[in-house]
Amino acid sequence: MAGKPQQRTLATRRRILEAASRLIIGQGFDATSVDVIASEAGVAKATVFAHFADKASLLIALHLEQLENLSAAMEAEVVALAQDPARKSASIEMARLLAPWLALYRENPEFARLFLVQSTLKDGPYTRQFLDACFGMEAKVMRGLSILSDRNALRPEADIAVLTQGVLAFYYHVSVGYNLYHVSTAAEQSALMQGLLEALLERAA
């Protein structure tokens, strides 16, 4: 059982996260300062930084459970792919794997930007968990392509590592396109992603 100091620490962290969530939803990430979050949570600014390295870490913490759920669902999808030899369409399978991630970043454009600037994030426990999820996504895409390659769904000489980077590059492109309003709807985003994957992976087949 957690002692009283630890309970107070957890309660303070929860208040900061709840305040940050309300403010970011209400006025946007860029317009929400750490000072305002601290005031809303009823704590000093230094207390916010004692729990979170910076504002980006706060944003990551708000979405950490979603990331963990996405990672688990993606793992289950890769396992299901491995167990079903009838699934041989590389473009369809990759689109299926990435669709929930596209939805997350479509619904949370500020969070999407963090995904695209991973190398600039300040180190800390939340950043490391975020990067672990990003690297895990890449590893699962590679595993999925390897499974499809073993089923002769790709050319025997296809370089799985290169194809993985191609799939992820298209994923980043489509995410950015939506957030910059070049792709205006979820349906357009999905169609663009599917078309790009077909162009990449059908050439590899």
Side-chain angles (χ1 to χ4, degrees):
M1 180 180 294
K4 288 186 178 180
Q6 185 176 355
Q7 289 175 349
R8 284 196 297 270
T9 297
L10 293 173
T12 299
R13 182 177 300 147
R14 184 166 56 251
R15 285 208 316 277
I16 294 169
L17 286 171
E18 289 171 350
S21 179
R22 287 194 299 272
L23 290 165
I24 290 170
I25 290 172
Q27 59 192 37
F29 178 72
D30 292 336
T32 301
S33 69
V34 174
D35 293 280
V36 173
I37 292 170
S39 177
E40 177 79 7
V43 301
K45 183 177 180 178
T47 302
V48 176
F49 286 125
H51 288 271
F52 305 96
D54 56 9
K55 197 168 71 166
S57 296
L58 254 173
L59 185 59
I60 292 169
L62 288 172
H63 293 287
L64 204 52
E65 184 176 353
Q66 286 176 287
L67 278 179
E68 291 170 349
N69 291 339
L70 277 179
S71 295
M74 193 177 193
E75 175 63 26
E77 192 62 52
V78 172
V79 170
L81 173 62
Q83 294 174 342
D84 186 352
R87 292 167 62 171
K88 295 182 178 181
S89 171
S91 62
I92 289 174
E93 297 303 335
M94 290 300 105
R96 181 181 285 123
L97 282 180
L98 293 173
W101 292 86
L102 284 174
L104 171 64
Y105 294 119
R106 187 169 61 242
E107 294 159 7
N108 299 277
E110 293 93 350
F111 195 47
R113 288 202 295 272
L114 294 186
F115 192 90
L116 300 170
V117 295
Q118 298 169 34
S119 62
T120 70
L121 297 176
K122 186 177 291 187
D123 186 39
Y126 292 106
T127 297
R128 287 192 289 272
Q129 290 180 75
F130 174 70
L131 293 177
D132 285 346
C134 296
F135 296 147
M137 183 182 75
E138 179 176 343
K140 292 176 181 69
V141 167
M142 182 174 285
R143 281 171 54 204
L145 288 170
S146 295
I147 292 166
L148 292 160
S149 179
D150 290 342
R151 292 176 185 163
N152 298 316
L154 305 172
R155 283 200 312 266
E157 69 274 17
D159 188 321
I160 301 301
V162 171
L163 288 180
T164 298
Q165 293 307 309
V167 169
L168 293 174
F170 285 148
Y171 168 74
Y172 300 148
H173 172 75
V174 172
S175 294
V176 169
Y178 188 87
N179 287 303
L180 293 179
Y181 308 105
H182 298 156
V183 181
S184 59
T185 68
E188 287 180 14
Q189 188 190 51
S190 297
L192 176 59
M193 189 68 191
Q194 185 65 47
L196 291 170
L197 289 172
E198 288 173 2
L200 173 69
L201 298 173
E202 286 182 5
R203 286 189 62 186

